[in-house]
Amino acid sequence: MHKVKDIEKDKLDYDSNKFMSFVQASVMSLPCIWLYFTKDAISLALRECASKIMIGYLLGALIICRLVIGYFKIELLYVLYLPIMLSFSFNTKVVIINSILAFNVFNTYLNVPWFLPLQFLLYYMSNQEICSNNFCIALMINYTLSIFFKKIGQLKSLDHEVCNIFSILLTNIFYLTETSNMSIPFKILHGTLSALICAILINYIISMLMKILFKPHVYIQSMILSSVIVLGFPLLTDHFIQIHDCMTPLQWLINYITTSDIRLKIFFTWLVTLVTLVPAFVMLQSHVSLNTSRKIWHFLIFLIITIPFKYDPKFVKIALAGIIPLFLCIEYIRFLKLEPVGSYLDSTLHSFADERDLQGPLIISYIYLILGISFPLFLYDSPVGLVSLGVGDSLASIIGKKFGRYRWPESEKTIEGTVAFIGSTFVVCEILKSSLNYFENTNWYKLFIICFLSGILEGNSILNDNILIPSFMLICERLQ
């Protein structure tokens, strides 16, 4: 009964968001058209194969929307669009396999993997270089991760589409990326995420055994699980990260920082910022709105990363590679309220939670933020995540709420906020281009087009801005 009511409510939402869907589809189609007709590096066979898979995906989406959802959901397009466009931009070897993995979103909607045979058929029809065993493993990893995200997010914190976008991303990190070609920051990200997942699996097994064999006091159980994370995670990290034959990862990191004056200055600048400004913001939080305090954090991150990245990009990437699993670890402890700090983390993070965070069991807006900032830097040394989230999104939200009078059709977002996004991101991109030599291969009118299209998309999208807008800007930046 509740499911029927939810579908009816979603259908009403869809009927009121047709304009937004049209705008999103129009904006997304422009990079696709440009890429298809202008990028000479892409072979004709790859274009044709990808086009056929995209048509198959659209047919599958129409079937799922008709039989399961009850209306066409524009967010389904992002599950295919983001992986395939990023693959075209950075690694054409995985274009087809990522396109096929996107079909998994239909499996999660059906709660049964009915589309797995179709995914195998598409793989054999595409004549890919990757062997069938490797494809099967990638398919199983992707499917398992999507089910895991669906379970912990309860389709409230993470919807079907976000579950599958993240599962494709992690499948690429864990399996489809060749270890021999990984940079040191990527090795650290790969190793720390692997260690965290292993620690979580160990905790899950311990929890199951304790339920079967004996039931300890809740506090004792919580302390046992906390100790696995606190002690096991670093030990597993030593196992998964192999950088130097004679040093542990921690020893290598300390040596790496202390052998450079620039890295020491960056490190102590971050440390002073953390020690002084973070407590100050927490104390002043009661004097400003939640939205303003969150956007101040966004802008602060923009300041403390943009300049250091230009002086030592490798060190900043290493730091971000460590922060991502650290934030995931914090959310895991908060989610389970593991003592002695779980309850404190829960109350503190809830004070910064927005309405999206409060819809489900996970508080992940800060994880979205660090992901949106990090991956453009990892993939292309691009600050589009910093600019769009630290400046554009912040000013769009603040100005839109304070001065907004004209709203986009059927949307809570304002046209004034969109203008603020476009203007601020373009100005900051030009400043970064002239003063810090960012966007060296991008002229001013292309920057304006990127900012303009991203602003229109930001004003009309429902998918989380912290993931969508940096990804879209990066895709547009890579188009030549």
Side-chain angles (χ1 to χ4, degrees):
M1 187 68 179
H2 291 293
K3 186 175 182 181
V4 173
K5 289 181 179 179
D6 290 340
I7 291 175
E8 290 176 352
K9 179 180 180 300
D10 288 342
K11 189 177 187 303
L12 290 174
D13 292 339
Y14 165 72
D15 291 337
S16 65
N17 288 331
K18 288 181 180 178
F19 176 82
M20 295 173 64
S21 299
F22 172 76
V23 171
Q24 291 177 75
S26 300
V27 172
M28 286 192 298
S29 66
L30 295 176
C32 290
I33 295 170
W34 180 271
L35 181 68
Y36 188 88
F37 288 106
T38 62
K39 191 158 184 179
D40 298 331
I42 301 175
S43 67
L44 180 61
L46 181 59
R47 296 186 202 187
E48 291 180 350
C49 186
S51 299
K52 292 176 182 177
I53 292 176
M54 290 173 69
I55 293 172
Y57 182 88
L58 291 175
L59 291 175
L62 290 173
I63 293 171
I64 293 296
C65 290
R66 179 69 176 172
L67 299 180
V68 180
I69 306 175
Y71 64 93
F72 186 75
K73 192 176 183 183
I74 189 68
E75 286 75 30
L76 275 171
L77 297 183
Y78 289 115
V79 181
L80 177 69
Y81 181 82
L82 294 180
I84 195 173
M85 290 298 289
L86 288 170
S87 299
F88 266 126
S89 300
F90 296 99
N91 186 5
T92 55
K93 291 182 179 179
V94 295
V95 167
I96 300 302
I97 189 169
N98 279 333
S99 303
I100 297 173
L101 292 180
F103 281 75
N104 186 64
V105 69
F106 307 141
N107 293 322
T108 58
Y109 266 108
L110 293 171
N111 293 319
V112 180
W114 291 115
F115 275 79
L116 281 179
L118 176 61
Q119 290 176 284
F120 280 108
L121 178 63
L122 289 172
Y123 160 74
Y124 284 110
M125 290 174 61
S126 63
N127 296 319
Q128 286 295 288
E129 294 180 1
I130 183 172
C131 73
S132 58
N133 289 339
N134 290 341
F135 174 77
C136 292
I137 294 172
L139 201 62
M140 291 300 104
I141 291 173
N142 183 61
Y143 180 74
T144 303
L145 287 171
S146 65
I147 297 301
F148 171 74
F149 288 132
K150 181 180 176 181
K151 182 176 181 179
I152 63 169
Q154 300 175 9
L155 295 180
K156 296 177 181 178
S157 300
L158 304 170
D159 59 19
H160 288 284
E161 291 74 28
V162 173
C163 288
N164 282 273
I165 290 172
F166 281 163
S167 65
I168 293 174
L169 172 65
L170 288 178
T171 302
N172 278 265
I173 292 175
F174 288 132
Y175 192 70
L176 296 179
T177 303
E178 296 179 6
T179 309
S180 58
N181 295 332
M182 287 184 182
S183 62
I184 288 179
F186 207 88
K187 284 182 179 179
I188 292 173
L189 177 63
H190 180 276
T192 50
L193 287 176
S194 300
L196 180 59
I197 288 177
C198 286
I200 291 173
L201 287 174
I202 292 171
N203 267 352
Y204 179 77
I205 294 171
I206 292 174
S207 299
M208 292 297 101
L209 289 175
M210 285 192 291
K211 285 182 180 180
I212 295 172
L213 300 177
F214 63 98
K215 293 184 178 180
H217 189 273
V218 174
Y219 187 84
I220 296 175
Q221 179 177 342
S222 181
M223 290 297 294
I224 292 172
L225 299 180
S226 295
S227 64
V228 172
I229 294 295
V230 174
L231 300 176
F233 177 57
L235 292 174
L236 289 167
T237 300
D238 287 348
H239 172 74
F240 282 107
I241 299 177
Q242 302 294 330
I243 299 176
H244 194 284
D245 294 336
C246 302
M247 295 184 186
T248 65
L250 181 59
Q251 291 172 334
W252 176 88
L253 180 62
I254 293 172
N255 180 70
Y256 181 74
I257 296 174
T258 54
T259 52
S260 168
D261 291 338
I262 292 293
R263 288 193 280 271
L264 282 172
K265 290 178 182 177
I266 294 173
F267 175 77
F268 282 111
T269 300
W270 286 343
L271 185 61
V272 170
T273 301
L274 183 68
V275 171
T276 57
L277 293 184
V278 171
F281 277 128
V282 173
M283 292 174 61
L284 293 173
Q285 183 187 354
S286 59
H287 301 285
V288 295
S289 67
L290 173 63
N291 182 65
T292 301
S293 65
R294 286 166 58 89
K295 301 311 175 184
I296 290 174
W297 281 111
H298 286 211
F299 186 67
L300 177 62
I301 292 174
F302 167 79
L303 291 177
I304 64 175
I305 292 180
T306 306
I307 296 176
F309 186 83
K310 211 58 193 175
Y311 286 99
D312 197 327
K314 183 178 177 181
F315 178 51
V316 175
K317 289 180 186 179
I318 289 172
L320 292 172
I323 289 173
I324 292 172
L326 177 63
F327 278 12
L328 292 173
C329 189
I330 289 172
E331 178 57 22
Y332 175 76
I333 294 172
R334 184 215 64 82
F335 175 69
L336 294 180
K337 294 184 177 60
L338 299 181
E339 299 300 339
V341 296
S343 298
Y344 172 76
L345 289 174
D346 185 55
S347 60
T348 302
L349 291 174
H350 261 105
S351 65
F352 289 95
D354 61 9
E355 20 180 78
R356 288 185 181 181
D357 288 326
L358 298 176
Q359 289 177 354
L362 303 178
I363 300 177
I364 51 175
S365 56
Y366 66 106
I367 298 174
Y368 279 141
L369 174 63
I370 199 66
L371 288 174
I373 285 171
S374 301
F375 277 94
L377 294 172
F378 277 126
L379 292 175
Y380 197 51
D381 289 351
S382 173
V384 291
L386 289 163
V387 174
S388 61
L389 303 182
V391 179
D393 183 60
S394 300
L395 287 178
S397 180
I398 293 172
I399 291 176
K401 289 182 182 296
K402 192 172 181 63
F403 303 106
R405 296 292 181 271
Y406 303 97
R407 299 187 185 278
W408 286 101
E410 314 301 341
S411 173
E412 293 297 316
K413 296 181 180 180
T414 65
I415 296 177
E416 291 87 347
T418 298
V419 172
F421 179 98
I422 296 171
S424 61
T425 51
F426 176 65
V427 169
V428 171
C429 284
E430 279 295 303
I431 293 172
L432 294 179
K433 179 178 173 65
S434 59
S435 60
L436 293 175
N437 295 320
Y438 285 106
F439 306 109
E440 290 181 299
N441 300 319
T442 309
N443 50 42
W444 70 268
Y445 57 83
K446 182 179 176 182
L447 279 176
F448 179 76
I449 292 173
I450 292 172
C451 296
F452 178 79
L453 292 177
S454 300
I456 299 299
L457 188 61
E458 190 273 341
N460 289 277
S461 63
I462 299 175
L463 194 71
N464 193 286
D465 296 341
N466 293 355
I467 298 298
L468 174 60
I469 303 305
S471 300
F472 180 78
M473 292 186 76
L474 183 62
I475 290 166
C476 291
E477 184 187 357
R478 279 284 287 172
L479 296 177
Q480 299 296 333

